[in-house]
Amino acid sequence: MNFPTSILILIAFFTLSGCAVNPVTGKTELSLISESSEIAMGLESYTPSQQAQGGLYLADPSIQEYVNSVGQRVAEQSDRTLPFEFVVLNNSVPNAWALPGGKIAINRGLLLELDSEAELAAVLGHEAVHSAAKHGANAVQRGSILQGLVLATAFGTSQAGYGDYSEYIVGSAQVGVQLISQRYGRSAELEADYYGIKYMAKAGYEPRAAIRLQETFVKLSEGQKQNWVQGLFSSHPPSQSRVDANRETISSLSLASGDVGHDRYLMKISTLIETKPAYDNFDRALSYMSVNEMSKASSTIEKAIEIVPNEARFLGLLGDIHYRQEKYLEASDDYSRAIAADPNYYEYPLGRGLSYHKPVSYTHLRAHETPEH
């Protein structure tokens, strides 16, 4: 079998394997991933994805409850019944993301940039559509198909005698897989905007908040704010065309005005607003650590701990600083306090275990002991 024939057979196999109507858009599309597999995929990746980005925000549990309640209110209008879940991550970068099966997260940093509950509903509705419309699952599906084509290409080029060009062709295909999985395409973003507005309006929220939200994002993108570029804009690029499309959606659907919830929102996230200086110090301490200025990092994170004594991220970072300074007893104590505040975050038991296995000098041990009374 020659190289082009093998590729055509592979494409035909995937095309004929299964098509289905997308429950959100009504479009017929290739569907190789079952709903149960989709839900399992999101569930399996949810906790590791949270852990990789700071873990859950736990300093004020009421904020978790509030965000999930808003998300559930919007998700009830979804065209699919999924086990939707919405969590707040302990991360300053303004970002939000959705996994297949309805597993959705929004960062603490993005909550501080929003102005109302309606804007929060717009963000969560947008992410709910990504899950409901199978955008993430379809990206995985395309990646799987391309991985198959990569293997077929590798086989075909070697069989066809392309010699040294084989590695170049295969490498290009692998780059394509990475690009597709890196972020949603323009059509997926427009779909998430369109149906997200419908969901939030049906849930009783002011749909024009989605316009204001995108207008804010466009201004921030033009200013190239670094934390936004590395966060929401990397996976959800804003544009004036999206703003215009949102206006057209609201106009064409004749959507009624709804709840904005400006004051309610600010009250619900008041803890985040009041403690923002502490998390700014946390971020600065991380920067000092990155250039090995451990004394500055230590004094800076201590200031953060004075403001929010029960924040596990602060205590864990202090443990990291003491570990780097070879103060292993102090580090193990810091990690223990962090574990007490958040027993599920992987870094703290790991750090404490490493600290336990480091040699401690007699002088250091005596200095750390509590004097007897």
Side-chain angles (χ1 to χ4, degrees):
M1 184 182 297
N2 62 29
F3 166 53
T5 302
S6 65
I7 294 294
L8 290 174
I9 290 175
L10 190 62
I11 292 172
F13 168 76
F14 283 121
T15 302
L16 296 173
S17 292
C19 288
V21 174
N22 187 295
V24 175
T25 65
K27 299 175 183 176
T28 300
E29 58 189 24
L30 189 65
S31 182
L32 303 178
I33 300 175
S34 68
E35 182 172 284
S36 60
S37 297
E38 187 182 346
I39 292 171
M41 185 192 310
L43 185 61
E44 182 179 359
S45 302
Y46 202 32
T47 297
S49 297
Q50 295 171 18
Q51 296 269 313
Q53 297 174 61
L56 296 175
Y57 172 73
L58 300 176
D60 184 353
S62 68
I63 292 178
Q64 291 282 355
E65 296 169 5
Y66 170 62
V67 168
N68 187 56
S69 68
V70 174
Q72 296 295 344
R73 176 176 165 182
V74 175
E76 284 178 1
Q77 311 306 320
S78 170
D79 300 283
R80 290 181 72 192
T81 302
L82 292 172
F84 281 103
E85 185 178 349
F86 301 83
V87 297
V88 180
L89 299 186
N90 202 353
N91 194 311
S92 298
V93 175
N95 201 10
W97 46 262
L99 293 176
K103 302 306 180 187
I104 293 163
I106 182 170
N107 285 3
R108 164 175 50 78
L110 183 53
L111 291 178
L112 284 166
E113 300 288 348
L114 305 181
D115 190 55
S116 68
E117 189 172 302
E119 289 191 4
L120 174 61
V123 172
L124 300 182
H126 179 98
E127 299 301 335
V129 175
H130 279 315
S131 286
K134 303 184 177 182
H135 291 158
N138 287 343
V140 172
Q141 180 174 273
R142 288 193 298 271
S144 298
I145 293 173
L146 284 176
Q147 290 285 8
L149 292 178
V150 167
L151 295 176
T153 302
F155 175 78
T157 52
S158 64
Q159 295 296 311
Y162 288 121
D164 292 339
Y165 290 99
S166 176
E167 290 183 9
Y168 172 79
I169 296 171
V170 173
S172 298
Q174 290 171 332
V175 169
V177 172
Q178 294 171 356
L179 289 174
I180 286 175
S181 62
Q182 183 176 346
R183 64 191 233 180
Y184 295 115
R186 181 174 180 273
S187 62
E189 286 296 278
L190 290 174
E191 282 181 1
D193 284 345
Y194 178 83
Y195 292 101
I197 288 174
K198 290 183 68 174
Y199 291 177
M200 66 181 292
K202 288 173 67 177
Y205 287 109
E206 172 54 63
R208 288 161 189 80
I211 297 175
R212 291 193 293 272
L213 187 66
Q214 284 299 322
E215 286 175 336
T216 299
F217 289 172
V218 169
K219 289 178 183 177
L220 289 169
S221 68
E222 290 171 349
Q224 294 295 300
K225 273 184 81 171
Q226 182 58 37
N227 61 342
W228 282 90
V229 172
Q230 71 186 65
L232 200 68
F233 294 168
S234 66
S235 56
H236 299 73
S239 66
Q240 185 58 45
S241 64
R242 287 180 64 184
V243 175
D244 296 339
N246 285 356
R247 286 201 183 96
E248 175 61 26
T249 296
I250 294 169
S251 175
S252 64
L253 297 176
S254 300
L255 297 177
S257 297
D259 182 21
V260 175
H262 169 76
D263 293 340
R264 181 171 64 252
Y265 181 75
L266 295 182
M267 181 187 70
K268 291 290 188 178
I269 69 160
S270 59
T271 300
L272 286 180
I273 297 171
E274 292 166 3
T275 60
K276 185 178 183 299
Y279 291 92
D280 290 342
N281 278 328
F282 171 76
D283 294 334
R284 278 191 287 270
L286 282 173
S287 298
Y288 287 136
M289 278 193 71
S290 69
V291 293
N292 208 35
E293 295 187 18
M294 307 310 295
S295 178
K296 287 184 178 179
S298 180
S299 61
T300 303
I301 198 61
E302 289 282 8
K303 293 176 183 176
I305 293 172
E306 289 177 7
I307 301 172
V308 190
N310 65 330
E311 174 51 73
R313 293 299 306 279
F314 300 170
L315 299 169
L317 183 59
L318 184 60
D320 294 341
I321 293 168
H322 282 148
Y323 186 91
R324 291 268 292 271
Q325 293 174 324
E326 300 183 358
K327 299 178 179 178
Y328 302 120
L329 290 174
E330 287 92 333
S332 63
D333 285 350
D334 298 329
Y335 291 130
S336 293
R337 292 164 63 198
I339 291 169
D342 183 358
N344 297 315
Y345 192 58
Y346 78 100
E347 282 189 2
Y348 314 140
L350 177 61
R352 186 171 65 177
L354 291 172
S355 299
Y356 282 163
H357 287 84
K358 288 291 184 179
V360 179
S361 68
Y362 177 76
T363 303
H364 191 188
L365 180 62
R366 292 292 298 173
H368 189 72
E369 287 178 349
T370 303
E372 293 183 4
H373 296 287

